[in-house]
């Protein structure tokens, strides 16, 4: 037998109502669709809810009010992520107000999901953090943002960005130029994040000085990286030998983030250095593994749907609702 509950909240100010309910009540309709068993009634500044999830819906409105008071813009994607977090008994107002770094032009980088918050917290509190998840979850961008913050706050003296130059259906040998010119397209996503956070001129100055180094993974062999924030991107395309080589480069005063998506392995033979690594290293202090899911995808909603479709087609777990 389904229990019918009643709960209500009061919106402190007419100026918050429009943003809370959305243009032509589109946000209200989205909430109603998410909780079809509950009846939501808006009377003036009072919102009453009756149904099996009444307390959850009111808690959702309370969180949305806090976010609106903090000046957070509410759109359908943010609302969907907020609903997911409230269902998991997570406070979105705390997650979405966390600041990773204040980038060039006053832009503030914040986690947008509970998984992203766990990820940035793990980076802050551990020497090595593995961020594993599908495309669009912010693995690389948030890692670069944390690196920029560490550099700006003088926690480290340089940033090192690297990734394996693995051919994904293309032939490196046919690309023009020397080795760096050939691998440059593989490093482009890291450059893009740098330019977005520091603006092109600022990023280029740091690159020219060597304060930021972007290099293929092969260039890490034989080095000891002290006082550095090191990011290994696309780590699913390392071999086990390359992964061991990389992890043993870390020196004093350094922090490392390893990102990857185990569903997109292009390394020859499929011998990925990221697969099966957690049982080996998971018990070591100052090493954290954070798994991001389709709920943490912050690109267009269709990206999360594509991730789900591929998971179903390839026989992995079905969609996470």
């Amino acid at each position: 037998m389904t229990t019918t509950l009643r709960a209500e909240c009061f919106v402190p100010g007419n100026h918050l109502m429009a943003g809370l309910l959305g243009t032509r009540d589109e946000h209200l309709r989205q909430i109603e669709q998410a909780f079809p068993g509950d009846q939501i009634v808006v009377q003036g500044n009072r919102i009453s809810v009756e149904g099996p999830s009444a307390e959850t819906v009111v808690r959702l409105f309370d969180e949305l009010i806090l976010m609106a008071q903090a000046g957070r813009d509410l759109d359908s994607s943010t609302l969907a992520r907020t609903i997911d977090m409230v269902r998991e008994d997570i406070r979105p107002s705390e997650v979405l107000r966390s600041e990773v770094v204040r980038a060039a032009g006053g832009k503030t980088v914040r986690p947008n999901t509970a998984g992203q918050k766990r990820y940035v917290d793990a980076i802050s509190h551990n020497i090595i953090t593995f961020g594993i998840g599908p495309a669009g979850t912010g693995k690389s961008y948030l890692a670069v943002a944390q690196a920029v913050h560490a550099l700006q706050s003088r926690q480290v003296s340089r940033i090192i960005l690297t990734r394996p130059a693995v051919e994904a259906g293309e032939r490196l040998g046919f690309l023009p130029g020397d080795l760096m010119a050939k691998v440059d397209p593989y490093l482009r996503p890291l450059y893009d994040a740098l330019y977005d956070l520091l603006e092109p001129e600022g990023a280029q100055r740091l690159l020219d000085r060597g304060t930021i180094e972007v290099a293929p993974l092969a260039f890490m062999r034989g080095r000891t990286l002290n006082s550095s924030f090191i990011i290994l991107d696309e780590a699913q395309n390392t071999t086990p030998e390359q992964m061991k080589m990389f992890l043993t480069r870390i020196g004093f005063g350094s922090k490392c983030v390893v990102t990857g998506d185990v569903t997109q392995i292009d390394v020859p033979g499929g011998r990925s250095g990221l697969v099966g690594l957690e049982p080996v290293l998971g018990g070591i202090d100052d090493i954290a593994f954070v798994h991001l899911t389709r709920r943490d995808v912050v690109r267009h909603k269709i990206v999360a749907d594509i991730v789900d479709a591929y998971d179903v087609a390839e026989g992995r777990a079905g969609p996470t609702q």
Side-chain angles (χ1 to χ4, degrees):
M1 180 178 178
T2 302
T3 302
T4 299
L5 303 174
R6 293 178 179 83
E8 62 179 32
C9 66
F10 184 80
V11 181
N14 293 330
H15 63 290
L16 297 176
M17 288 299 296
L20 199 63
L21 301 180
T23 304
R24 298 180 181 177
D25 291 343
E26 59 184 8
H27 295 159
L28 178 59
R29 288 196 299 273
Q30 185 175 349
I31 295 171
E32 289 174 335
Q33 290 172 1
F35 298 92
D38 297 87
Q39 182 180 8
I40 304 172
V41 177
V42 180
Q43 294 177 316
N45 284 28
R46 189 177 302 278
I47 300 174
S48 303
V49 186
E50 182 174 336
S53 303
E55 293 179 354
T56 301
V57 176
V58 167
R59 193 165 69 249
L60 169 65
F61 278 111
D62 287 339
E63 289 292 315
L64 293 174
I65 290 168
L66 290 173
M67 292 163 58
Q69 289 175 325
R72 178 84 184 196
D73 292 332
L74 186 63
D75 56 26
S76 61
S77 297
T78 302
L79 178 55
R81 291 193 292 269
T82 303
I83 291 170
D84 283 343
M85 284 187 269
V86 169
R87 280 174 166 160
E88 295 179 9
D89 204 23
I90 297 167
R91 295 197 62 188
S93 58
E94 294 181 357
V95 171
L96 300 175
R97 284 185 296 181
S98 301
E99 183 175 311
V100 178
V101 67
R102 192 171 295 275
K107 175 183 178 181
T108 301
V109 178
R110 294 185 174 94
N112 285 296
T113 69
Q116 289 189 348
K117 180 66 163 56
R118 289 194 303 271
Y119 180 48
V120 298
D121 286 347
I123 294 172
S124 297
H125 298 131
N126 292 278
I127 295 175
I128 302 175
T129 301
F130 291 85
I132 302 169
T137 51
K139 304 183 299 295
S140 303
Y141 190 88
L142 288 171
V144 174
Q146 287 279 62
V148 169
H149 171 70
L151 183 66
Q152 291 176 341
S153 58
R154 302 182 184 276
Q155 298 174 36
V156 297
S157 59
R158 60 178 172 169
I159 297 172
I160 299 175
L161 309 176
T162 185
R163 63 189 292 180
V166 173
E167 304 174 40
E170 299 178 12
R171 298 293 300 278
L172 271 176
F174 289 110
L175 295 174
D178 58 15
L179 177 60
M180 283 307 298
K182 291 176 186 292
V183 301
D184 189 72
Y186 294 88
L187 303 171
R188 184 53 50 188
L190 300 177
Y191 283 113
D192 290 343
L194 278 177
Y195 291 158
D196 188 53
L197 291 164
L198 296 171
E199 295 188 341
E201 296 80 7
Q204 194 58 54
R205 282 196 300 271
L206 294 174
L207 286 163
D208 291 342
R209 294 175 191 164
T211 304
I212 298 178
E213 178 184 348
V214 185
L217 180 59
F219 284 22
M220 299 298 108
R221 188 175 300 277
R223 302 175 62 181
T224 300
L225 307 174
N226 295 315
S227 189
S228 304
F229 196 114
I230 313 146
I231 299 173
L232 171 58
D233 196 33
E234 300 289 349
Q236 76 275 3
N237 287 328
T238 62
T239 64
E241 294 79 12
Q242 287 175 323
M243 179 64 76
K244 182 179 179 181
M245 177 274 291
F246 171 76
L247 293 175
T248 53
R249 300 305 96 201
I250 299 167
F252 293 103
S254 290
K255 189 179 286 285
C256 172
V257 180
V258 178
T259 72
D261 177 1
V262 294
T263 70
Q264 296 189 23
I265 296 173
D266 299 311
V267 67
R271 292 180 64 249
S272 172
L274 188 60
V275 174
L277 196 61
E278 188 168 359
V280 177
L281 302 180
I284 299 177
D285 290 340
D286 289 321
I287 295 181
F289 286 80
V290 179
H291 293 269
L292 302 169
T293 70
R294 61 93 62 194
R295 291 191 178 193
D296 302 302
V297 172
V298 292
R299 295 178 186 169
H300 193 286
K301 179 182 178 296
I302 197 171
V303 176
D305 294 338
I306 290 170
V307 170
D308 282 344
Y310 270 96
D311 280 349
V312 172
E314 294 169 11
R316 289 186 289 271
T320 303
Q321 300 299 328

